[in-house]
Amino acid sequence: MSSARVLAVEALLQVEFDGAYANILTNEILSQNDLSSADAGMFTDLVNGTLRWERYLDTIINYCSSREIVDLSDEVRSVLRLSTYSYLIRGTQAHAIVNEGVETIRNLDGERATSFVNAVLRRITERTAEEWRIYADQRVEDADQEAIMYSLPNWIVKVFQSQIPDQLERIALFEKQNQPPSITYLRRPGTETDTTGLAPGNWSPYALREIDKKLSRQKLKTGELTVQDEGSQLTSWALSMALIEGPDLNWLDMTAGPGGKAVFLAAIAQMRGAKLVANEIHPHRAELVRNVLRRSELNAEILIGDANFGAWAPKSFDRVLLDAPCTGLGALRRRAESRWRRTEKDLADLVIGQRKLLRSAIAATRSGGIVGYVTCSLHPRETTEIVLEAAKTHKIEFVDVPRLLPGIPLAPGPFLQLWPHRHDTDGMFMAILRVE
Ligand SMILES: C[S@@+](CC[C@H](N)C(=O)[O-])C[C@H]1O[C@@H](n2cnc3c(N)ncnc32)[C@H](O)[C@@H]1O
């Protein structure tokens, strides 16, 4: 059986070269390898943490290596990154790091690079993690300072610098984005759940946090719980709580895959005698929606198709959720590699899609009905700018979303913006548009 470290390096190589998603890949590898729970936890953290901290780790490795990191073999680069992450961020002992790093490269690549890896890791362990931070902080160019020290691409740092002018607060956000998110579950609305091994969430009445892994994992199998960030729960909750006049029987989730919010909405719809239609463009993601609803014993009509050409009549829904595809800048802590894959060009393309989908959502909503526009983003171009632009060309008014969520410290409405460092949720945005 391969060690957790060798498996982690193999996972890093698949993420870098095969475009694998770390969260899906780590689960697959864990299901194929019989690791103890301590090793499984270490494996997952090594993969995600090394990916998140990549730019900072490369900077330190470059200070200690006779060759630039980009010129190293893929295996050597990955082993050095992983060992440096273990040492600088996880706090593993210096002597263990050197021995384990050499052993891991030997396992993957034979003897030829062992002395090089040994030399670089010895140099890195000559300073403590704190000493390296001070050293690097003095050496990096001012323009790259936050991006290197908090391991982000420069363009993403610039977005946050314009959003959060206060540097201390910005750093609190960067630090939060570099930590693994705590696991939060959605308790299916309308059912009683035995909460042994679970603690209440911070904000959502349906959120539970994991205390005992074994107990909560059992409930996942039965569909009593689904994994869902509290920010996502709050958006579905707000959409279901906004008052509307007249009939309230037809609900639409326009872009439903993989089905997290569809579970929440289907459960509330069922309690109120309403019906949910869950639409998704990709058949395999529509299948995920079908499965999660089945596991949770909930009903919804599943449609597969482009929501811009929806298989429904105009103005036929009372409540519509548009959880639009976005850069995911609000969920960087959850998708470890995404900060290195996303580009400004993606942002421009996504914004075009978001505008179009919002027009289609408004067209699908009856007069007096509402559209919840949601993105897991902190970028104004895919949050406020999209809905303010729609307000110029459509007869809509905004519902005050923070007023639907009392007890949560939020900026004044009408929009909702959740922040990882303020709310310990993903950075979710929501606007609710009432269609005239
Ligand atoms: C942000 S995700 C939705 C997450 C989902 N609401 C949940 O909570 O699990 C966006 C989804 O929209 C789907 N999608 C993208 N463009 C679409 C379109 N034109 N019509 C329908 N679905 C679309 C994507 O495949 C993706 O599954």
Side-chain angles (χ1 to χ4, degrees):
M1 191 190 70
S2 298
S3 75
R5 270 178 208 83
V6 171
L7 290 173
V9 173
E10 285 170 353
L12 291 174
L13 292 168
Q14 285 189 53
V15 171
E16 189 170 353
F17 297 105
D18 303 338
Y21 296 103
N23 57 349
I24 299 174
L25 180 66
T26 47
N27 284 334
E28 267 171 28
I29 292 178
L30 285 177
S31 69
Q32 292 155 5
N33 290 274
D34 191 19
L35 296 184
S36 68
S37 75
D39 278 353
M42 179 174 79
F43 160 79
T44 308
D45 183 63
L46 286 176
V47 175
N48 289 308
T50 304
L51 288 167
R52 288 192 194 98
W53 282 98
E54 188 175 293
R55 191 167 180 190
Y56 178 66
L57 302 175
D58 286 3
T59 304
I60 304 296
I61 294 166
N62 274 335
Y63 293 146
C64 299
S65 164
S66 52
R67 278 180 284 154
E68 283 284 308
I69 187 125
V70 286
D71 299 329
L72 302 176
S73 80
D74 303 332
E75 284 79 10
V76 169
R77 183 169 56 248
S78 297
V79 169
L80 286 178
R81 281 177 178 162
L82 183 133
S83 302
T84 308
Y85 169 71
S86 283
Y87 176 62
L88 294 182
I89 311 293
R90 279 177 64 88
T92 307
Q93 298 287 315
H95 66 274
I97 285 301
V98 179
N99 293 341
E100 287 163 5
V102 170
E103 193 51 34
T104 310
I105 194 65
R106 181 175 286 128
N107 252 297
L108 287 160
D109 198 31
E111 289 301 324
R112 62 186 144 173
T114 49
S115 49
F116 177 76
V117 166
N118 181 57
V120 176
L121 291 179
R122 278 194 187 284
R123 235 165 279 147
I124 289 176
T125 52
E126 279 165 11
R127 286 192 162 94
T128 65
E130 293 71 27
E131 286 167 355
W132 273 122
R133 274 200 89 69
I134 295 166
Y135 179 89
D137 197 37
Q138 294 174 89
R139 276 195 65 168
V140 296
E141 301 282 332
D142 281 355
D144 299 333
Q145 199 258 354
E146 289 182 10
I148 289 180
M149 297 306 289
Y150 297 97
S151 195
L152 287 160
N154 285 29
W155 79 271
I156 294 185
V157 167
K158 280 193 192 123
V159 172
F160 292 129
Q161 283 171 339
S162 68
Q163 289 294 294
I164 309 179
D166 179 74
Q167 194 190 29
L168 280 183
E169 184 179 357
R170 207 162 54 238
I171 285 171
L173 172 65
F174 294 154
E175 283 176 343
K176 195 77 187 173
Q177 283 172 323
N178 284 343
Q179 288 160 15
S182 52
I183 297 182
T184 315
Y185 297 107
L186 168 73
R187 169 175 68 79
R188 195 178 73 205
T191 54
E192 293 292 319
T193 304
D194 170 11
T195 54
T196 316
L198 295 157
N202 293 329
W203 319 113
S204 158
Y206 298 107
L208 291 166
R209 286 186 179 235
E210 185 168 78
I211 307 175
D212 185 330
K213 272 191 186 150
K214 263 193 214 134
L215 291 169
S216 45
R217 297 283 148 89
Q218 274 163 13
K219 292 196 172 80
L220 280 181
K221 287 195 186 124
T222 64
E224 257 177 86
L225 300 180
T226 44
V227 175
Q228 192 169 135
D229 178 67
E230 274 199 86
S232 288
Q233 298 185 28
L234 291 177
T235 60
S236 310
W237 173 239
L239 184 75
S240 68
M241 292 305 289
L243 280 181
I244 61 175
E245 298 282 333
D248 188 10
L249 296 173
N250 294 313
W251 295 14
L252 171 66
D253 184 349
M254 280 180 83
T255 51
K261 297 184 190 67
V263 166
F264 196 116
L265 292 175
I268 304 261
Q270 200 157 298
M271 283 157 69
R272 297 197 197 155
K275 180 190 151 194
L276 178 72
V277 174
N279 181 79
E280 165 60 45
I281 196 165
H282 295 300
H284 69 280
R285 288 177 73 84
E287 201 47 35
L288 297 176
V289 181
R290 198 184 304 283
N291 290 342
V292 71
L293 287 168
R294 190 183 299 135
R295 248 197 333 274
S296 304
E297 296 173 355
L298 289 164
N299 294 319
E301 183 184 350
I302 314 261
L303 298 176
I304 303 174
D306 185 339
N308 291 311
F309 306 95
W312 46 79
K315 298 179 181 291
S316 50
F317 291 99
D318 306 304
R319 289 179 201 262
V320 174
L321 173 67
L322 168 55
D323 187 10
C326 70
T327 55
L329 287 185
L332 291 181
R333 58 186 191 150
R334 196 169 295 286
R335 300 176 203 138
E337 74 290 343
S338 70
R339 64 186 72 188
W340 310 120
R341 291 213 179 133
R342 282 289 179 213
T343 63
E344 279 184 287
K345 166 81 174 71
D346 294 337
L347 174 67
D349 294 342
L350 285 160
V351 163
I352 295 169
Q354 290 154 2
R355 274 193 209 122
K356 199 165 168 196
L357 280 166
L358 184 54
R359 281 199 297 272
S360 304
I362 293 170
T365 309
R366 70 153 169 97
S367 171
I370 55 172
V371 175
Y373 173 82
V374 173
T375 53
C376 56
S377 181
L378 303 165
H379 197 306
R381 282 187 62 196
E382 46 187 357
T383 59
T384 46
E385 287 181 22
I386 297 285
V387 292
L388 289 172
E389 191 186 288
K392 284 187 197 151
T393 46
H394 294 84
K395 287 192 168 171
I396 56 115
E397 64 179 35
F398 292 116
V399 175
D400 192 318
V401 185
R403 283 184 65 185
L404 300 169
L405 301 169
I408 306 179
L410 294 166
F415 307 137
L416 169 73
Q417 181 69 71
L418 295 165
W419 293 89
H421 64 297
R422 289 185 200 156
H423 304 103
D424 196 15
T425 62
D426 287 348
M428 302 293 295
F429 171 83
M430 181 181 210
I432 297 184
L433 294 67
R434 190 183 305 286
V435 178
E436 284 186 11

